[in-house]
């Protein structure tokens, strides 16, 4: 089983950067594909980025391409989301999640979720 805790959110001006971290507990972290999702007020939870269990392949939503970078360090049981050139529309609660199967972009496919960390981008 995997437990996930996000951190690194906060308030930032448009154009600024944040790095989110997701710390995982358990000894099977490296066998899970990992994803980042976000949910803005009044919106459904949406996919942002994903990485395979090995970290060899990454995937991004169109909204994140060129600005966000997902990475993982299995030795540290941690997944990161580097967020650059932030825009007000990036404001949301960001969640990391773990899937026991192959990489997936559907929230319903992820078995484990963190509690979320708030990212607010001011104009």
């Amino acid at each position: 089983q995997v437990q996930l805790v996000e951190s690194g959110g906060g308030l930032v001006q448009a154009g600024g950067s944040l790095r989110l971290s997701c710390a995982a507990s358990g000894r099977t972290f490296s066998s899970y594909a990992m994803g980042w999702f976000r949910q803005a007020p009044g919106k459904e939870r949406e996919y942002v980025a994903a990485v395979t269990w090995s970290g060899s392949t990454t995937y991004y939503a169109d909204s994140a391409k060129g600005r966000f970078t997902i990475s993982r360090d299995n030795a540290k049981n941690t997944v990161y989301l580097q967020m650059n050139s932030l825009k007000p529309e990036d404001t949301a609660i960001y969640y990391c999640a773990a899937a026991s199967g192959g990489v997936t972009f559907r929230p319903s496919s992820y078995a484990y979720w963190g509690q979320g960390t708030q990212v607010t981008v001011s104009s």
Side-chain angles (χ1 to χ4, degrees):
Q1 189 175 16
V2 177
Q3 290 183 305
L4 308 171
V5 179
E6 302 95 336
S7 63
L11 175 64
V12 65
Q13 291 267 37
S17 298
L18 287 172
R19 188 177 76 155
L20 307 184
S21 298
C22 175
S25 64
R27 289 172 285 181
T28 60
F29 172 75
S30 62
S31 68
Y32 288 84
M34 299 294 298
W36 283 97
F37 296 80
R38 67 187 183 187
Q39 188 165 23
K43 307 283 285 186
E44 67 180 13
R45 191 167 299 185
E46 66 173 342
Y47 160 77
V48 176
V51 60
T52 57
W53 66 269
S54 66
S56 62
T57 309
T58 57
Y59 304 87
Y60 299 94
D62 288 343
S63 61
K65 289 178 181 177
R67 301 189 300 125
F68 295 1
T69 302
I70 187 172
S71 62
R72 68 189 299 165
D73 187 338
N74 289 344
K76 297 180 179 179
N77 287 352
T78 302
V79 178
Y80 304 96
L81 185 69
Q82 178 67 45
M83 308 166 65
N84 299 326
S85 301
L86 284 163
K87 305 173 181 179
E89 51 262 46
D90 295 319
T91 296
I93 300 174
Y94 283 71
Y95 300 88
C96 69
S100 60
V103 71
T104 177
F105 316 115
R106 300 186 300 274
S108 61
S109 297
Y110 285 80
Y112 305 102
W113 292 83
Q115 84 289 352
T117 185
Q118 177 71 49
V119 171
T120 302
V121 184
S122 62
S123 61

